[in-house]
Structure formats: structure tokens, C-alpha cells
Amino acid sequence: MSEAEIATIDAARDILRRHARATAALQSWTMLTDYLALNAVRERVEVFRVLLLDRKNKLIRDKIMSRGSIDHVPVYVSEVMRSALVLDASALILCHNHPSGDPQPSQADIDMTRKIVDACRVMSITVHDHLIVGFGREQAVFSMRAAGMLDD
């Protein structure tokens, strides 16, 4: 990418982050996926992030929990829970990218998500979704909620 393209992406990401903090993060699927895609577009390795939300689904913090390799990112349930509790989050949106471009979840992705959902349930924290951002010819986002992989 050119310097100008990088600067444009960075500016767009900052605008979306400010807007997400001022409004409900779940107000628009397009806003959410655009924000996550802009954050993932320059990543060459998997990055696991958590959007920590207040009771009105406003963004408290977008926190990068871990950086991994081209096909794996270590995720620690205790670190996710610690962040949620320290920031008094009522809800989470989990997200990571697949640099390969294929947003389909691996079995490890599914297992890790279940562990986080189970831990959050004990603490009365809602997990709205786990989104996997991939890139190919077009940006693609896989929603575990939409695929029926998150049970309430």
C-alpha cells in the first residue's frame, strides 16, 4: 500500500472509532463490519480483539488481546474476562481476522468462543457475536451468531 492509502485507512478507522464511542456499536451492521475490516486490512497475522461495550452497547474500548501468526492467534479466556471486569463491560463483541482471506471459523475458533461465552455467562456478560474478518476479492465477515454457533 502507498503512504497515501495507509493514511486514508488510518483516518477512516479513527473516524469510525470516534463514531462507535458516541453511538451504539450495534446500531449498524455495516458500520461494525467496516470498522473491523479497516482495522484488519493491514494485518499480516491473526489479531484477536474484543469490543467492550456498556449497557447501551456503546463502545468502552476496542482492545487487541493478542497477535499471532498467519494462521493462529492465542487467546486466553482469563485475559478477556479481566478486561471485561476491569472496564465494567456489560457485553462483548469478539473479533479476529484470517489473513488467508477465508473467514470460515476453524474448530479451534469455535472451541475458544464457547469457552469465552461460558465464562461470560457466569459473570452475566453478554457475548453479542464473534466475527471473523477475511479478505479475498471482497471483504467478507463471518458471524458466529448469524450461523447459529452462539447459543443464548
Side-chain angles (χ1 to χ4, degrees), residues 84-95:
L85 293 171
V86 165
L87 294 171
D88 293 325
S90 296
L92 308 176
I93 298 173
L94 312 174
C95 177

Side-chain angles (χ1 to χ4, degrees), residues 1 4-20 29-45 47 49 51 62 64 67 95-97 131-135 138-141:
M1 279 190 215
E5 290 170 325
I6 291 170
T8 301
I9 289 170
D10 289 344
R13 184 176 50 230
D14 290 342
I15 290 166
L16 281 171
R17 184 179 298 123
R18 284 193 305 274
H19 184 67
W29 174 255
T30 301
M31 182 186 133
L32 177 62
T33 57
D34 285 350
Y35 174 75
L36 295 173
L38 281 170
N39 279 294
V41 72
R42 291 180 23 199
E43 298 293 347
R44 299 289 179 237
V45 296
V47 176
R49 63 190 329 116
L51 302 181
D62 172 359
I64 293 177
R67 290 182 182 277
C95 177
H96 76 282
N97 63 311
L131 302 169
I132 302 172
V133 179
F135 296 95
E138 295 180 13
Q139 165 209 331
V141 178

Side-chain angles (χ1 to χ4, degrees), residues 62-142:
D62 172 359
K63 183 164 184 167
I64 293 177
M65 300 301 298
S66 185
R67 290 182 182 277
S69 65
I70 59 170
D71 62 357
H72 173 76
V73 62
V75 177
Y76 302 99
V77 176
S78 60
E79 292 299 316
V80 173
M81 296 308 299
R82 180 175 324 189
S83 293
L85 293 171
V86 165
L87 294 171
D88 293 325
S90 296
L92 308 176
I93 298 173
L94 312 174
C95 177
H96 76 282
N97 63 311
H98 281 177
S100 69
D102 181 4
Q104 293 297 312
S106 66
Q107 188 60 50
D109 294 337
I110 295 166
D111 294 342
M112 175 266 302
T113 303
R114 285 186 182 139
K115 289 177 185 175
I116 293 173
V117 168
D118 289 345
C120 285
R121 186 174 293 122
V122 170
M123 302 305 295
S124 299
I125 298 170
T126 302
V127 177
H128 287 306
D129 210 338
H130 183 167
L131 302 169
I132 302 172
V133 179
F135 296 95
R137 283 190 227 165
E138 295 180 13
Q139 165 209 331
V141 178
F142 183 92

